[in-house]
């Protein structure tokens, strides 16, 4: 259908005539991941419609578009991310020669400035012209295109900030007039089936959203602030999710130890770390390795983040009395082989989990603390009997998430003397890397995340320390004397392999090992 080489464009950066947009509606554009980028006339009067697509060789799609638009189709190449940005910009009805004035990202290092006032005015006009419904839809679509896991909408006296969390770091995305905030929040509440008249109490809800072939579960939380309600939307992808241990960052001896711990017929395996460190994902990955046909696997979670076939998953509901402890008590009457408790928050849940592990069940759960040694001490501090903990717990995992260096802009990086001194690195010529920043990673130098781990079996010396109510520092020293590597050791190994940077290891792994 074309003779010229395929051009490469960024649809969000080019002016597109309204006549081109009228030929393909937004629904079709999103479904087929295409964006009109130009329209011209040929000598015989037939129009040529230029379409940005991720696959210019898809002749079936090009033929369908030609019949649909009665135009000659000129495919041009663009990334899916840029196409979705282009759709958001152009179908808003507010395209200008500077698309950054609309929903274009502020960038990882930008801060509100004089330009922010212009952006706020443009987006205020967008909210009025598109309506709150389209505005919320556009923000969510952009967040998905940017790989964001969370959307924060933060009202202040003079402006409302919309921020995205990408690879664990918060970035400013856009601002708009606070006078329009009530409309936007009301739309989110309607989607989430929340009370739109209630703005003085926190509320939680959820709704589903689809973007092309991708579907997401959106968890919504609102809280009242002095300048209005702050809203956070967490984007959880539906459908199959890769839960391979190696892809999560579990390799070598750490992986071997974890597989050995989870292959035992009974006992407890705990994943520890701060909120958002990937603990639940690690436990999910362990569940995917289990024969769920030959064994009865039941989980109790808050929330149920990913759904699995052949596993019974229970969502806690404290308002009606379905707590972790109550759910666990009911699970024990369901003849389980393997139990996953989303989080141990109180002594009652801990004691029931320990008893379950001691009576022939394999129990997987999470605990908030800094490292594996602190996890052992934390259970004693919660009030559980030390001798029961020592007998029930097979092993403890500790983990953090570090950002991966962007492969498109990775380069060798000199190690500053301050960093070398902090990490006690010898000057032996070892090469380390960082990302210099590029279009693919939005200038951050990072793309995606991976976990750093320590996996500690509760060996005899650790059992003795637990029964003696030893502090975390003592247990940590025993663990090191046994030769088990720390989280920092795993982080350094990943830095040496060029997976992450030394600075990222220092940022994420703050426990003095």
């Amino acid at each position: 259908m074309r003779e010229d080489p395929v051009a490469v464009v960024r649809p969000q950066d080019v002016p597109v005539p309204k006549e081109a947009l009228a030929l393909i509606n937004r629904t079709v554009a999103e479904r087929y991941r295409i964006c009109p980028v130009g329209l011209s006339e040929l000598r015989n009067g037939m129009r040529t419609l230029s379409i940005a697509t991720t696959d210019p060789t898809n002749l079936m799609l090009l033929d369908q578009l030609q019949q649909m638009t009665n135009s000659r189709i000129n495919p041009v190449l663009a990334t899916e991310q840029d196409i979705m940005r282009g759709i958001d910009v152009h179908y808003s009805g507010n395209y200008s020669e500077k698309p950054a004035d609309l929903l274009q990202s502020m960038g990882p290092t930008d801060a509100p400035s004089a330009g922010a006032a212009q952006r706020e005015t443009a987006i205020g006009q967008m909210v009025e012209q598109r309506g709150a419904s389209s505005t919320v839809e556009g923000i969510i679509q952009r967040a998905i295109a940017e790989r964001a896991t969370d959307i924060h909408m933060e009202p202040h006296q003079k402006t409302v900030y919309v921020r995205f969390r990408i690879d664990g770091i918060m970035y400013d995305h856009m601002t708009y007039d606070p006078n329009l905030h009530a409309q936007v929040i009301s739309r989110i509440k309607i989607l989430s089936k929340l009370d739109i008249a209630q703005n003085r109490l926190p509320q939680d809800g959820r709704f589903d959203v689809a973007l092309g072939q991708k579907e997401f579960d959106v968890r919504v939380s609102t809280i009242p602030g002095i300048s209005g309600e702050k809203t956070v939307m967490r984007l959880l992808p539906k459908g199959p999710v890769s839960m391979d241990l190696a892809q999560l960052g579990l390799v070598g001896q750490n992986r071997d130890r974890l597989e050995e711990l989870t292959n035992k017929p009974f006992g407890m395996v705990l994943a520890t770390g701060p909120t958002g460190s990937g603990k639940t994902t690690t436990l999910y990955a362990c569940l995917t390795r289990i024969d769920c046909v030959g064994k009865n696997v039941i989980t109790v979670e808050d929330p149920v983040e990913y759904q699995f076939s052949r596993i019974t998953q229970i969502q806690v509901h404290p308002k009606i009395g379905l707590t972790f402890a109550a759910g666990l008590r009911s699970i024990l009457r369901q003849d389980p082989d393997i139990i996953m408790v989303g989080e141990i928050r109180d002594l009652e849940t801990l004691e029931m989990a320990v008893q379950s592990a001691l009576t022939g069940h394999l129990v997987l759960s999470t605990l908030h603390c800094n490292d594996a040694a602190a996890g052992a001490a934390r259970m004693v501090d919660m009030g559980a009997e030390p001798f029961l903990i020592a007998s029930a717990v097979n092993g403890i995992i500790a983990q953090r998430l570090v950002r991966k260096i962007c492969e498109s802009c990775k380069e060798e990086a000199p190690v500053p003397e301050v960093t070398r001194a902090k990490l006690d690195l010898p000057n032996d010529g070892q090469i380390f890397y960082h990302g210099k920043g590029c279009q693919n990673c939005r200038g951050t130098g990072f793309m995606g995340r991976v976990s750093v781990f320590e996996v500690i079996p509760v060996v005899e010396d650790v059992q003795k320390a637990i029964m003696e109510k030893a502090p975390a520092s003592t247990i940590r020293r025993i663990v090191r004397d046994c030769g088990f590597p720390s989280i920092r050791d795993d982080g350094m190994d990943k830095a040496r392999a060029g997976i992450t940077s030394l600075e990222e290891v220092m940022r994420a792994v703050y426990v003095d090992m």
Side-chain angles (χ1 to χ4, degrees), residues 338-349:
I338 298 169
I339 301 168
M340 189 187 101
V341 183
E343 182 183 346
I344 293 177
R345 298 176 179 173
D346 52 56
L347 177 58
E348 183 183 8
T349 306

Side-chain angles (χ1 to χ4, degrees), residues 145-214:
E146 296 280 2
R147 301 181 300 106
T149 55
D150 300 87
I151 303 169
H152 290 240
M153 308 180 78
E154 304 170 347
H156 294 271
Q157 187 175 3
K158 296 184 178 180
T159 191
V160 178
Y161 294 94
V162 178
R163 301 200 290 166
F164 292 165
R165 186 180 294 278
I166 304 172
D167 293 335
I169 305 298
M170 297 287 289
Y171 297 105
D172 282 335
H173 169 59
M174 61 177 261
T175 62
Y176 60 84
D177 191 319
N179 293 325
L180 305 168
H181 188 56
Q183 302 172 42
V184 174
I185 295 302
S186 292
R187 176 56 184 166
I188 294 172
K189 286 183 176 180
I190 290 171
L191 290 171
S192 311
K193 296 181 172 59
L194 300 179
D195 184 355
I196 63 173
Q198 178 58 264
N199 57 16
R200 295 184 296 175
L201 292 174
Q203 296 189 72
D204 296 309
R206 59 167 299 279
F207 62 92
D208 296 327
V209 66
L211 182 60
Q213 301 300 315
K214 298 178 181 178

Side-chain angles (χ1 to χ4, degrees), residues 415 417 420 424-432 492 496 502:
V415 181
E417 288 304 318
R420 194 178 295 279
D424 195 24
L425 284 176
N427 197 354
D428 57 359
Q430 170 71 52
I431 297 175
F432 294 92
M492 292 300 297
R496 292 187 184 96
L502 289 175

Side-chain angles (χ1 to χ4, degrees), residues 47-105:
R47 298 169 299 189
T48 296
L49 177 64
S50 295
I51 295 289
T53 173
T54 59
D55 184 10
T57 64
N58 188 342
L59 298 180
M60 183 176 296
L61 173 61
L62 301 183
D63 286 339
Q64 289 177 344
L65 292 176
Q66 178 168 305
Q67 294 176 17
M68 180 190 305
T69 63
N70 193 29
S71 304
R72 180 178 183 270
I73 303 299
N74 174 42
V76 294
L77 182 64
T79 66
E80 180 176 329
Q81 187 179 46
D82 284 344
I83 288 172
M84 298 313 296
R85 287 175 175 172
I87 291 172
D88 194 22
V89 168
H90 296 304
Y91 285 93
S92 70
N94 264 331
Y95 180 77
S96 69
E97 290 297 323
K98 296 181 179 180
D101 288 343
L102 295 177
L103 283 175
Q104 186 72 10
S105 172

Side-chain angles (χ1 to χ4, degrees), residues 370-390:
N370 287 336
D371 64 340
R378 168 89 171 124
M379 287 185 284
V380 175
D381 292 340
M382 290 176 69
E385 292 291 344
F387 72 93
L388 293 178
I389 295 172

Side-chain angles (χ1 to χ4, degrees), residues 328-372:
L328 182 52
R329 189 179 298 110
S330 298
I331 286 173
L332 293 174
R333 295 193 288 269
Q334 291 283 317
D335 185 32
D337 296 296
I338 298 169
I339 301 168
M340 189 187 101
V341 183
E343 182 183 346
I344 293 177
R345 298 176 179 173
D346 52 56
L347 177 58
E348 183 183 8
T349 306
L350 174 58
E351 289 179 335
M352 293 188 64
V354 168
Q355 288 298 331
S356 301
L358 292 172
T359 54
H361 307 90
L362 179 63
V363 179
L364 310 178
S365 191
T366 70
L367 194 66
H368 286 290
C369 52
N370 287 336
D371 64 340

